[in-house]
Amino acid sequence: MRVGLITADAGHPLLAGAAAALGPEHEVVVLDPRDADAEAVAAGARADVYLLKARDPRALELARALERRGAPVVNTAAATELCQDRTEMADLARRAGLPFAATTAFPSLDRLARQAGDGSGLPGPAGLSGQRWPVVVKSRRSRKGDLVARVDDPARLWELAAGWGEEPVVVQAFAPNNGWDHKLYAIGDRVFAGLRRSEMAPEGPEDDRSVTAPPARWAELTLRVGEVFALDVYGVDIIDTGDGAPLIVDVNAFPGMRGRPGAPEALAALALRRAG
């Protein structure tokens, strides 16, 4: 089999580990979406399946071109792009009955700060009407280095607006929790788990900690997310709001999964199944 990697970082541990697991009997080819001739190279030596690790516009367009030629792409360009828009993400999740945080969009952080500052509060159709502080403000478009911050009052909004004023944002109600984000990752029907200190926790973020096994119902919830979002390789950020009640706050297409034992092998096996 020939497996194509759509990425600008073929040395990423998850991809490198998967390539090693595929062994010499399978060929691994790399398509860097930054290369102008990437689509032509793919047309001349088509792979049996492509793994879409990159999420920038060029990578998505390359994936779409391959899909139009009938090539299987994991995850699809459409599913990957959906996970970059936190408003569409929340709408789909809540329509499907998933326990996703109520989310309201604002065209810019400046607009949000003005509205919060004039006393009209934080209205919205997703359940934030009359919302009390604190809230969580995030960039509407999910990407590396995006805005994710806890906001306790309008003054903090204006501080953020100094650097992010024109940024389209979403607002989520802050749910009391123990300060840890539960990071659940899925590759096909395999679920891996970890813990990371929340970016909003006073202690600040820490590296991921592996968890032997997530609660069974959380693993089932994670797989349900994959069905709803048509994802094969993805991550689900969950917080425990008390007594094990899960609240989903984000979904990510093809996360890094660094340090997850068995993840590279699971990815290699998934690639071969999709190729077949």
Side-chain angles (χ1 to χ4, degrees), residues 32 35 54 59 69 89 94 96 104 106 116-117 124 139 155 165 213 223 236 265 274:
D32 188 334
D35 294 342
R69 294 193 179 101
M89 178 196 304
R94 291 172 69 86
T104 300
F106 288 83
S139 297
L223 294 176
V236 183
E265 293 77 10
R274 291 294 180 268

Side-chain angles (χ1 to χ4, degrees), residues 99-160:
F100 199 96
T103 303
T104 300
F106 288 83
S108 71
L109 187 52
D110 275 339
R111 175 78 64 86
L112 171 61
R114 288 196 300 272
Q115 187 162 329
D118 67 13
S120 57
L122 300 171
L128 283 172
S129 183
Q131 171 64 37
R132 301 291 183 181
W133 308 100
V135 295
V136 177
V137 176
K138 302 178 180 181
S139 297
R140 174 167 177 166
R141 182 175 177 273
S142 175
R143 62 193 188 278
K144 186 175 181 179
D146 61 2
L147 172 65
V148 179
R150 170 175 166 162
V151 177
D152 291 280
D153 51 46
R156 176 58 176 154
L157 282 178
W158 285 114
E159 290 177 7
L160 292 172

Side-chain angles (χ1 to χ4, degrees), residues 180-183 193-197 206-211 260:
W180 289 91
D181 292 336
H182 293 259
K183 315 286 285 190
L195 282 172
R196 180 178 171 84
R197 180 67 70 179
E206 296 181 3
D207 290 338
D208 285 2
R209 297 181 181 179
S210 291
V211 175
R260 296 290 173 269

Side-chain angles (χ1 to χ4, degrees), residues 158 189 254 275:
W158 285 114
D189 59 1
F254 222 124

Side-chain angles (χ1 to χ4, degrees), residues 152-259:
D152 291 280
D153 51 46
R156 176 58 176 154
L157 282 178
W158 285 114
E159 290 177 7
L160 292 172
W164 296 87
E166 298 303 313
E167 180 81 357
V169 296
V170 299
V171 178
Q172 295 176 341
F174 179 82
N177 61 87
N178 61 6
W180 289 91
D181 292 336
H182 293 259
K183 315 286 285 190
L184 279 83
Y185 306 103
I187 300 176
D189 59 1
R190 290 280 306 277
V191 178
F192 306 84
L195 282 172
R196 180 178 171 84
R197 180 67 70 179
S198 171
E199 295 177 85
M200 273 71 75
E203 297 86 350
E206 296 181 3
D207 290 338
D208 285 2
R209 297 181 181 179
S210 291
V211 175
T212 303
R217 60 182 178 140
W218 287 26
E220 294 171 0
L221 175 62
T222 300
L223 294 176
R224 173 61 179 151
V225 170
E227 294 174 358
V228 169
F229 283 82
L231 293 165
D232 288 301
V233 184
Y234 57 99
V236 183
D237 291 353
I238 296 176
I239 58 176
D240 185 343
T241 58
D243 297 325
L247 181 69
I248 301 171
V249 295
D250 226 334
V251 178
N252 302 286
F254 222 124
M257 302 189 208
R258 296 175 186 269

